[in-house]
Amino acid sequence: MNVCTTFEDARGRVSGRVGLVPTMGYLHEGHLRLVETAAGENDATIVTVFVNPMQFDDDTDLDGYPRDLERDLGLAARAGADVVVAPSVTYVYPEDHRTTVTVAGVTDAMEGHHRPGHFAGVATVVAKLFAGLRPDTAYFGRKDAQQLAVIAAMARDLSFPVDVKGVPVVREVDGLALSSRNVRLSPDARRAASTLSAGLMAAADLIEDGSSDVAAILAAARSPMEADPLVRIDYVELADARSASPTRTLGGKQFIAVAAVVDGVRLIDSLTILDGDVDRGEVLPSSSILYGGT
Ligand code: AMP
């Protein structure tokens, strides 16, 4: 596997159909599933590891973001990556960088509302990755369902010839979606964090039982979080998968997204719904190699 610090170097090392997996590193099984999927569908797979300062609205969150490039390289290689690109901040944003990509509408609600500027940071860095690395297909997790909608809209609007694909959420045994931020949870907060997915699974049960009562479905999604004193809900919404507009009617391709702060750590999770079929994600049988240091 090749390790590069520039887009040019990385692009020069691959040929044929190229899959791209953008990450902020500190890889876990959720990231690795994206890499495995990309490796299975392409001639070459590029993984980027870049903690993008432009998408952080909170300096403490940025400074405290976990990093371990050496470990990431081993995990990425094992999952089938051909190239890892780990560029510096000054390479991605030289002093005279002046362009910001903003995607209107699809960024209005949910994460866009609660984290002003966040999606401009995401869209800008991903546009740079698409331009610099020219992938045929790029892979993103459905955990970040609104982010997937934002990237797909950005790629269409800017005519990037890239297919943007969503990959199911990878979960721990109790349902908690894997996230690099989970390592910051205290044991009590870790228990409380499972209320996000518990609510989503209760909502999934109602949908699969044929309910179209969106108020009841969203109430079921909120309920476990509301019952836990360590959890402060930011939002629980049903939204159209393409426009990311919140809706009160079930139908077509949609997602239920939740965001909550659990004892100081902000977590998000999503459930993707297609015409009454729910993608609950994949539950891992064991938690042996999930996070850094293990
Ligand atoms: P991050 O490093 O957190 O920016 O995530 C990089 C990519 O991995 C994004 O497309 C995320 O949606 C995806 N991802 C993160 N956690 C998971 C998970 N538990 N399951 C599936 N995809 C994930």
Side-chain angles (χ1 to χ4, degrees):
M1 191 183 70
N2 297 285
V3 183
C4 306
T5 55
T6 68
F7 301 151
E8 293 78 5
D9 188 11
R11 194 62 183 84
R13 290 171 192 268
V14 293
S15 57
R17 281 194 60 81
V18 174
L20 171 67
V21 180
T23 81
M24 297 204 298
Y26 217 66
L27 301 183
H28 52 62
E29 292 274 351
H31 298 115
L32 299 183
R33 201 65 77 249
L34 300 180
V35 181
E36 288 161 4
T37 305
E41 296 180 0
N42 296 278
D43 300 311
T45 297
I46 303 178
V47 175
T48 59
V49 174
F50 180 62
V51 182
N52 177 30
M54 198 174 170
Q55 75 188 64
F56 283 79
D57 37 17
D58 174 347
D59 281 348
T60 320
D61 191 24
L62 173 61
D63 295 342
Y65 202 83
R67 301 163 202 241
D68 189 345
L69 183 60
E70 280 310 306
R71 179 175 169 277
D72 288 346
L73 297 178
L75 291 173
R78 256 167 48 201
D82 298 287
V83 178
V84 170
V85 196
S88 68
V89 173
T90 47
Y91 170 77
V92 177
Y93 302 115
E95 232 168 66
D96 59 352
H97 176 94
R98 36 182 105 62
T99 302
T100 300
V101 178
T102 57
V103 188
V106 73
T107 57
D108 286 349
M110 301 176 285
E111 286 303 280
H113 177 73
H114 284 267
R115 303 183 68 189
H118 168 67
F119 281 132
V122 172
T124 302
V125 80
V126 174
K128 289 181 70 100
L129 298 179
F130 285 180
L133 296 167
R134 300 186 296 286
D136 295 280
T137 308
Y139 297 82
F140 294 86
R142 289 190 183 147
K143 175 165 85 77
D144 303 271
Q146 188 180 13
Q147 170 174 279
L148 182 58
V150 171
I151 305 289
M154 180 275 288
R156 283 193 302 273
D157 290 352
L158 298 181
S159 305
F160 281 112
V162 57
D163 187 13
V164 175
K165 279 200 178 174
V167 175
V169 184
V170 178
R171 304 181 177 285
E172 291 196 43
V173 179
D174 66 350
L176 177 68
L178 272 67
S179 164
S180 308
R181 290 194 172 85
N182 291 354
V183 295
R184 291 211 228 135
L185 296 165
S186 67
D188 281 346
R190 171 63 190 79
R191 273 188 292 279
S194 67
T195 58
L196 277 78
S197 55
L200 288 177
M201 297 310 146
D205 290 343
L206 286 178
I207 295 166
E208 285 176 346
D209 286 349
S211 172
S212 54
D213 182 345
V214 172
I217 291 166
L218 294 181
R222 298 182 76 92
S223 173
M225 291 189 282
E226 280 171 345
D228 197 307
L230 283 182
V231 181
R232 200 197 77 225
I233 298 175
D234 267 356
Y235 61 80
V236 177
E237 293 280 11
L238 171 71
D240 178 77
R242 185 174 160 113
S243 69
S245 306
T247 170
R248 288 289 178 265
T249 315
L250 269 179
K253 191 164 187 188
Q254 298 176 314
F255 58 82
I256 298 176
V258 303
V261 180
V262 182
D263 200 20
V265 181
R266 192 168 182 284
L267 300 175
I268 66 172
D269 198 352
S270 297
L271 203 65
T272 299
I273 308 157
L274 180 59
D275 295 326
D277 281 336
V278 182
D279 173 8
R280 295 171 183 249
E282 172 198 354
V283 176
L284 288 175
S286 97
S287 57
S288 52
I289 59 154
L290 300 184
Y291 302 111
T294 54

mmCIF file of all heavy atoms in Angstrom, residues 263-287:
data_model
loop_
_atom_site.group_PDB
_atom_site.id
_atom_site.type_symbol
_atom_site.label_atom_id
_atom_site.label_comp_id
_atom_site.label_asym_id
_atom_site.label_seq_id
_atom_site.Cartn_x
_atom_site.Cartn_y
_atom_site.Cartn_z
ATOM 1 N N ASP A 263 -23.436 13.419 27.699
ATOM 2 C CA ASP A 263 -22.411 13.755 28.682
ATOM 3 C C ASP A 263 -21.250 14.527 28.033
ATOM 4 O O ASP A 263 -20.070 14.198 28.231
ATOM 5 C CB ASP A 263 -21.903 12.453 29.333
ATOM 6 C CG ASP A 263 -21.213 12.738 30.665
ATOM 7 O OD1 ASP A 263 -21.454 13.810 31.246
ATOM 8 O OD2 ASP A 263 -20.418 11.871 31.108
ATOM 9 N N GLY A 264 -21.594 15.499 27.186
ATOM 10 C CA GLY A 264 -20.571 16.354 26.573
ATOM 11 C C GLY A 264 -20.063 15.886 25.218
ATOM 12 O O GLY A 264 -19.330 16.610 24.548
ATOM 13 N N VAL A 265 -20.432 14.684 24.780
ATOM 14 C CA VAL A 265 -19.980 14.165 23.475
ATOM 15 C C VAL A 265 -21.179 14.166 22.523
ATOM 16 O O VAL A 265 -22.198 13.550 22.805
ATOM 17 C CB VAL A 265 -19.404 12.741 23.601
ATOM 18 C CG1 VAL A 265 -18.912 12.228 22.255
ATOM 19 C CG2 VAL A 265 -18.280 12.703 24.633
ATOM 20 N N ARG A 266 -21.022 14.860 21.382
ATOM 21 C CA ARG A 266 -22.148 14.955 20.446
ATOM 22 C C ARG A 266 -22.115 13.767 19.472
ATOM 23 O O ARG A 266 -21.118 13.528 18.807
ATOM 24 C CB ARG A 266 -22.086 16.270 19.674
ATOM 25 C CG ARG A 266 -23.361 16.560 18.910
ATOM 26 C CD ARG A 266 -23.373 17.993 18.403
ATOM 27 N NE ARG A 266 -24.610 18.283 17.714
ATOM 28 C CZ ARG A 266 -24.880 17.862 16.476
ATOM 29 N NH1 ARG A 266 -23.996 17.153 15.814
ATOM 30 N NH2 ARG A 266 -26.038 18.156 15.909
ATOM 31 N N LEU A 267 -23.230 13.050 19.425
ATOM 32 C CA LEU A 267 -23.323 11.854 18.577
ATOM 33 C C LEU A 267 -24.495 11.991 17.616
ATOM 34 O O LEU A 267 -25.504 12.635 17.946
ATOM 35 C CB LEU A 267 -23.536 10.603 19.447
ATOM 36 C CG LEU A 267 -22.454 10.285 20.475
ATOM 37 C CD1 LEU A 267 -22.883 9.093 21.327
ATOM 38 C CD2 LEU A 267 -21.109 10.001 19.802
ATOM 39 N N ILE A 268 -24.380 11.382 16.418
ATOM 40 C CA ILE A 268 -25.505 11.341 15.490
ATOM 41 C C ILE A 268 -25.691 9.913 14.987
ATOM 42 O O ILE A 268 -24.777 9.081 15.087
ATOM 43 C CB ILE A 268 -25.316 12.302 14.291
ATOM 44 C CG1 ILE A 268 -24.158 11.872 13.396
ATOM 45 C CG2 ILE A 268 -25.120 13.727 14.751
ATOM 46 C CD1 ILE A 268 -24.071 12.692 12.114
ATOM 47 N N ASP A 269 -26.891 9.655 14.502
ATOM 48 C CA ASP A 269 -27.190 8.323 13.956
ATOM 49 C C ASP A 269 -28.362 8.481 12.994
ATOM 50 O O ASP A 269 -29.086 9.478 13.054
ATOM 51 C CB ASP A 269 -27.540 7.354 15.101
ATOM 52 C CG ASP A 269 -27.440 5.887 14.700
ATOM 53 O OD1 ASP A 269 -27.241 5.591 13.500
ATOM 54 O OD2 ASP A 269 -27.566 5.030 15.594
ATOM 55 N N SER A 270 -28.519 7.519 12.087
ATOM 56 C CA SER A 270 -29.620 7.578 11.115
ATOM 57 C C SER A 270 -30.105 6.189 10.757
ATOM 58 O O SER A 270 -29.369 5.206 10.871
ATOM 59 C CB SER A 270 -29.171 8.222 9.803
ATOM 60 O OG SER A 270 -28.792 9.536 9.978
ATOM 61 N N LEU A 271 -31.333 6.187 10.276
ATOM 62 C CA LEU A 271 -31.985 4.976 9.771
ATOM 63 C C LEU A 271 -32.441 5.322 8.365
ATOM 64 O O LEU A 271 -33.105 6.349 8.189
ATOM 65 C CB LEU A 271 -33.211 4.770 10.650
ATOM 66 C CG LEU A 271 -33.870 3.444 10.837
ATOM 67 C CD1 LEU A 271 -32.921 2.489 11.549
ATOM 68 C CD2 LEU A 271 -35.120 3.656 11.708
ATOM 69 N N THR A 272 -32.090 4.537 7.363
ATOM 70 C CA THR A 272 -32.529 4.838 5.992
ATOM 71 C C THR A 272 -33.756 3.987 5.669
ATOM 72 O O THR A 272 -33.799 2.793 5.998
ATOM 73 C CB THR A 272 -31.388 4.577 4.989
ATOM 74 O OG1 THR A 272 -30.299 5.448 5.331
ATOM 75 C CG2 THR A 272 -31.811 4.870 3.563
ATOM 76 N N ILE A 273 -34.751 4.614 5.054
ATOM 77 C CA ILE A 273 -36.024 3.940 4.772
ATOM 78 C C ILE A 273 -36.292 4.058 3.274
ATOM 79 O O ILE A 273 -36.209 5.156 2.717
ATOM 80 C CB ILE A 273 -37.190 4.620 5.518
ATOM 81 C CG1 ILE A 273 -36.875 4.751 7.005
ATOM 82 C CG2 ILE A 273 -38.497 3.861 5.311
ATOM 83 C CD1 ILE A 273 -37.667 5.857 7.681
ATOM 84 N N LEU A 274 -36.615 2.919 2.650
ATOM 85 C CA LEU A 274 -36.978 2.961 1.228
ATOM 86 C C LEU A 274 -38.323 2.262 1.069
ATOM 87 O O LEU A 274 -38.407 1.033 1.198
ATOM 88 C CB LEU A 274 -35.896 2.286 0.377
ATOM 89 C CG LEU A 274 -36.174 2.283 -1.128
ATOM 90 C CD1 LEU A 274 -36.335 3.701 -1.664
ATOM 91 C CD2 LEU A 274 -35.065 1.568 -1.873
ATOM 92 N N ASP A 275 -39.363 3.049 0.814
ATOM 93 C CA ASP A 275 -40.715 2.504 0.601
ATOM 94 C C ASP A 275 -41.088 1.466 1.659
ATOM 95 O O ASP A 275 -41.497 0.340 1.326
ATOM 96 C CB ASP A 275 -40.822 1.881 -0.799
ATOM 97 C CG ASP A 275 -40.679 2.930 -1.889
ATOM 98 O OD1 ASP A 275 -41.138 4.066 -1.668
ATOM 99 O OD2 ASP A 275 -40.089 2.613 -2.946
ATOM 100 N N GLY A 276 -40.928 1.821 2.924
ATOM 101 C CA GLY A 276 -41.346 0.930 4.009
ATOM 102 C C GLY A 276 -40.295 -0.090 4.425
ATOM 103 O O GLY A 276 -40.444 -0.751 5.455
ATOM 104 N N ASP A 277 -39.234 -0.258 3.627
ATOM 105 C CA ASP A 277 -38.142 -1.152 4.031
ATOM 106 C C ASP A 277 -37.104 -0.332 4.786
ATOM 107 O O ASP A 277 -36.682 0.723 4.314
ATOM 108 C CB ASP A 277 -37.451 -1.766 2.804
ATOM 109 C CG ASP A 277 -38.257 -2.919 2.249
ATOM 110 O OD1 ASP A 277 -39.035 -3.507 3.018
ATOM 111 O OD2 ASP A 277 -38.107 -3.208 1.043
ATOM 112 N N VAL A 278 -36.694 -0.841 5.941
ATOM 113 C CA VAL A 278 -35.774 -0.084 6.780
ATOM 114 C C VAL A 278 -34.390 -0.715 6.739
ATOM 115 O O VAL A 278 -34.247 -1.924 6.904
ATOM 116 C CB VAL A 278 -36.281 -0.046 8.239
ATOM 117 C CG1 VAL A 278 -35.351 0.794 9.097
ATOM 118 C CG2 VAL A 278 -37.699 0.484 8.303
ATOM 119 N N ASP A 279 -33.363 0.104 6.501
ATOM 120 C CA ASP A 279 -31.979 -0.356 6.601
ATOM 121 C C ASP A 279 -31.487 -0.019 8.011
ATOM 122 O O ASP A 279 -31.183 1.134 8.309
ATOM 123 C CB ASP A 279 -31.120 0.338 5.535
ATOM 124 C CG ASP A 279 -29.635 0.020 5.711
ATOM 125 O OD1 ASP A 279 -29.302 -0.838 6.557
ATOM 126 O OD2 ASP A 279 -28.821 0.645 5.012
ATOM 127 N N ARG A 280 -31.455 -1.041 8.869
ATOM 128 C CA ARG A 280 -31.050 -0.821 10.268
ATOM 129 C C ARG A 280 -29.534 -0.809 10.417
ATOM 130 O O ARG A 280 -29.019 -0.525 11.479
ATOM 131 C CB ARG A 280 -31.612 -1.934 11.161
ATOM 132 C CG ARG A 280 -33.126 -1.956 11.254
ATOM 133 C CD ARG A 280 -33.581 -3.219 11.980
ATOM 134 N NE ARG A 280 -35.023 -3.309 12.014
ATOM 135 C CZ ARG A 280 -35.757 -3.174 13.121
ATOM 136 N NH1 ARG A 280 -35.168 -2.956 14.283
ATOM 137 N NH2 ARG A 280 -37.066 -3.266 13.064
ATOM 138 N N GLY A 281 -28.835 -1.165 9.353
ATOM 139 C CA GLY A 281 -27.379 -1.252 9.432
ATOM 140 C C GLY A 281 -26.954 -2.652 9.821
ATOM 141 O O GLY A 281 -27.759 -3.573 9.864
ATOM 142 N N GLU A 282 -25.667 -2.755 10.125
ATOM 143 C CA GLU A 282 -25.076 -4.068 10.404
ATOM 144 C C GLU A 282 -24.581 -4.068 11.846
ATOM 145 O O GLU A 282 -23.854 -3.159 12.253
ATOM 146 C CB GLU A 282 -23.887 -4.254 9.445
ATOM 147 C CG GLU A 282 -23.057 -5.454 9.716
ATOM 148 C CD GLU A 282 -21.674 -5.370 9.047
ATOM 149 O OE1 GLU A 282 -21.426 -4.415 8.283
ATOM 150 O OE2 GLU A 282 -20.849 -6.246 9.323
ATOM 151 N N VAL A 283 -24.984 -5.102 12.626
ATOM 152 C CA VAL A 283 -24.519 -5.185 14.011
ATOM 153 C C VAL A 283 -23.317 -6.124 14.064
ATOM 154 O O VAL A 283 -23.375 -7.248 13.581
ATOM 155 C CB VAL A 283 -25.648 -5.690 14.939
ATOM 156 C CG1 VAL A 283 -25.132 -5.865 16.357
ATOM 157 C CG2 VAL A 283 -26.823 -4.726 14.902
ATOM 158 N N LEU A 284 -22.218 -5.624 14.628
ATOM 159 C CA LEU A 284 -21.004 -6.434 14.696
ATOM 160 C C LEU A 284 -21.138 -7.494 15.769
ATOM 161 O O LEU A 284 -21.678 -7.230 16.846
ATOM 162 C CB LEU A 284 -19.808 -5.554 15.049
ATOM 163 C CG LEU A 284 -19.318 -4.626 13.960
ATOM 164 C CD1 LEU A 284 -18.223 -3.742 14.514
ATOM 165 C CD2 LEU A 284 -18.819 -5.410 12.764
ATOM 166 N N PRO A 285 -20.630 -8.699 15.527
ATOM 167 C CA PRO A 285 -20.729 -9.760 16.524
ATOM 168 C C PRO A 285 -19.831 -9.516 17.741
ATOM 169 O O PRO A 285 -20.106 -9.978 18.816
ATOM 170 C CB PRO A 285 -20.287 -11.005 15.761
ATOM 171 C CG PRO A 285 -19.517 -10.519 14.585
ATOM 172 C CD PRO A 285 -20.021 -9.141 14.269
ATOM 173 N N SER A 286 -18.730 -8.792 17.557
ATOM 174 C CA SER A 286 -17.836 -8.605 18.711
ATOM 175 C C SER A 286 -17.264 -7.201 18.674
ATOM 176 O O SER A 286 -17.271 -6.532 17.649
ATOM 177 C CB SER A 286 -16.691 -9.626 18.659
ATOM 178 O OG SER A 286 -15.561 -9.015 18.089
ATOM 179 N N SER A 287 -16.747 -6.756 19.792
ATOM 180 C CA SER A 287 -16.206 -5.395 19.833
ATOM 181 C C SER A 287 -14.694 -5.428 19.978
ATOM 182 O O SER A 287 -14.099 -4.570 20.591
ATOM 183 C CB SER A 287 -16.848 -4.623 20.980
ATOM 184 O OG SER A 287 -16.634 -5.309 22.176
#
